[in-house]
Each structure stands twice: as structure tokens, then as C-alpha cells.
Amino acid sequence: MDRRDSLKSMFLGSLGTGLLLTGCNTDVAATTPEIAKAAEDYFGRTPKEAALIEELNSEQFFNEHEMETLNILCALILPANDEYGSATDAGVPDFLEFIVKDMPHLQTPIRGGLMWLDHASNSKFNTEFKEASEENQKAILDTVAFPDPDKPSWEQPVQVQFFSLMRNLTMTGYYTSEMGIKDLDYKGNQPNIWDGVPEEVLQKHGVSYDPEWIAKCVDQSQRGVAAAWDDEGNLIT
């Protein structure tokens, strides 16, 4: 399993956990009308949310130097392969710019982490992180991406937490982008094909289908047509 596949597995595992957690709302009846109306009128964004997004997009948190560093860092965390581009190609740095404005508590750890990258690079290689060779950039990241618990160093634990945060945000940004969705080969919800109860099970219980009824239900050419019944409960289509 290569690096991209490993990170994809990590992301899908965390995604599954998130979906389970979000399924715990017991007040579904009270929220459904509001959600439906928001989706119908604002494509999933209420006027308040849309105004906040516009406000955040009008601001700039990271400076030019920090954005250039993020472009390099994101591509190192999730590099391109023969089929898909890197996290930077997918627009993850812009995603991070939005996230730190929407979640201000992330601003200090990320900005501080970027400063640490430059400090480490200047100390070891006499140049800023973004100007260092890829080999030297990876050497710096390896100290926090794969820390040795038996050899504690000044980089731990704050710098390790910074890199873990950046890796998680990079994966989230990539796999929620258009490129990342294609990389996952996600096709959305699709109807299953139902061919009826197996014949051996029907025989075991001494029952059978009405030929006319089963022909309507199992005709796969009609799978996109919604079923309809007459006033007496008879299946029409």
C-alpha cells in the first residue's frame, strides 16, 4: 500500500466514525422542515450562513510567505501520482485559509507551526523551509511525522501535534474536493438491484410469486420508475 492509499484508508476510517456520530440527533422531526427549506431556497446555505461565508472570503489570514509554505507542505503530505494531482493541486491551501478564519482557534497552532518549519530549516540548512530542497524538507517533516518515542527531541510534542493537525486538515480538504471525490471513486447513493427472494427459499416455505406481480417488480428496465398503487392497493407500475 503506497502513501496515498494509506492516507485514503485513514480518511475513510475517520469519515465513517463521523457519520456514526452525526446520526445521533433524536430531534429529527423538528429540524427536517428547516433543513429541507434551506436546501430548496439556498442550496444548503441559509442567508446567515451565506453572509458569513462571504465575509470570511473577503478576509485574508495567511500572508504570501505562509501561503507559499502551505502550498509546498500540502503537496509533501499528499503528493501527486500518475492519475491525480497533489493536495495543493486540489486547492487545499485555499481550504486551509478558509478553515482558520471559520475556526479561529486553529490560527495560532498552524501559524506557529509554519514559523517552526522556517526555524528548523534555517537552523539545519541555512534557508527557509520553502526554499530548501525537497530532500531537506522531508527530513524536517520526518522528525514530526514519524517521531521516535525513545529519542525525545525539542520538536516534540507541540510540533508533532502541529503536523498531525496539518495532515488531518490536508486529507479532509483533499477528499472533499472535486479531485478527491474522483480519487475515492465516490458515485453517490445508487439503488440496489433486487431480483426477488431466491427460488430455493420460496420452495422451502411452500410459497411462490404471482408471475404478473413479480414481472412488474423485478423488471430492471423500470428500476428508475416509482411504484404506484390504485385505490384498492393493487400495484399499477
Side-chain angles (χ1 to χ4, degrees):
M1 180 180 290
D2 64 21
R3 188 175 182 182
R4 288 179 65 103
D5 288 339
S6 297
L7 291 172
K8 183 187 294 185
S9 297
M10 291 169 56
F11 174 78
L12 289 174
S14 63
L15 179 62
T17 303
L19 290 175
L20 287 173
L21 291 176
T22 56
C24 297
N25 181 9
T26 58
D27 193 17
V28 176
T31 58
T32 298
E34 289 80 1
I35 294 174
K37 182 148 191 344
E40 179 181 351
D41 295 344
Y42 310 109
F43 301 99
R45 296 290 185 269
T46 66
K48 184 177 180 180
E49 291 170 334
L52 175 60
I53 291 173
E54 183 177 356
E55 177 185 350
L56 294 179
N57 284 333
S58 69
E59 303 170 355
Q60 183 69 30
F61 176 75
F62 292 121
N63 59 40
E64 183 178 354
H65 176 84
E66 291 169 331
M67 286 301 295
E68 291 174 353
T69 304
L70 284 172
N71 284 332
I72 293 170
L73 179 57
C74 290
L76 288 170
I77 291 175
L78 188 66
N81 62 11
D82 294 337
E83 189 172 1
Y84 296 101
S86 68
T88 298
D89 296 325
V92 172
D94 291 333
F95 165 79
L96 294 172
E97 164 67 23
F98 179 85
I99 284 296
V100 297
K101 292 179 294 191
D102 190 43
M103 305 175 70
H105 67 278
L106 298 178
Q107 294 177 1
T108 297
I110 292 181
R111 173 161 280 169
L114 296 178
M115 293 174 63
W116 167 75
L117 289 177
D118 279 338
H119 177 76
S121 184
N122 277 314
S123 298
K124 297 177 181 179
F125 308 115
N126 199 33
T127 187
E128 296 174 337
F129 180 82
K130 69 185 184 70
E131 300 297 338
S133 67
E134 183 174 323
E135 179 182 0
N136 289 342
Q137 291 168 345
K138 289 181 177 179
I140 293 172
L141 296 180
D142 282 348
T143 65
V144 289
F146 310 104
D148 187 343
D150 297 325
K151 297 180 180 180
S153 64
W154 64 273
E155 288 95 353
Q156 302 174 14
V158 176
Q159 287 78 14
V160 173
Q161 294 173 351
F162 157 71
F163 185 77
S164 179
L165 172 64
M166 284 301 306
R167 181 163 48 196
N168 291 342
L169 289 174
T170 298
M171 298 304 296
T172 299
Y174 178 80
Y175 283 113
T176 53
S177 70
E178 181 178 356
M179 183 186 298
I181 293 296
K182 292 179 180 178
D183 192 356
L184 287 173
D185 195 29
Y186 178 69
K187 296 181 174 60
N189 295 331
Q190 297 185 6
N192 293 323
I193 295 177
W194 182 71
D195 293 321
V197 176
E199 183 62 31
E200 60 270 21
V201 175
L202 293 174
Q203 293 179 0
K204 178 179 179 181
H205 294 279
V207 295
S208 63
Y209 286 116
D210 176 271
E212 182 179 353
W213 184 86
I214 196 64
K216 293 179 180 179
C217 291
V218 188
D219 182 0
Q220 299 303 334
S221 67
Q222 301 294 315
R223 62 184 301 190
V225 179
W229 288 265
D230 60 23
D231 293 339
E232 298 179 357
N234 298 312
L235 182 65
I236 302 174
T237 58

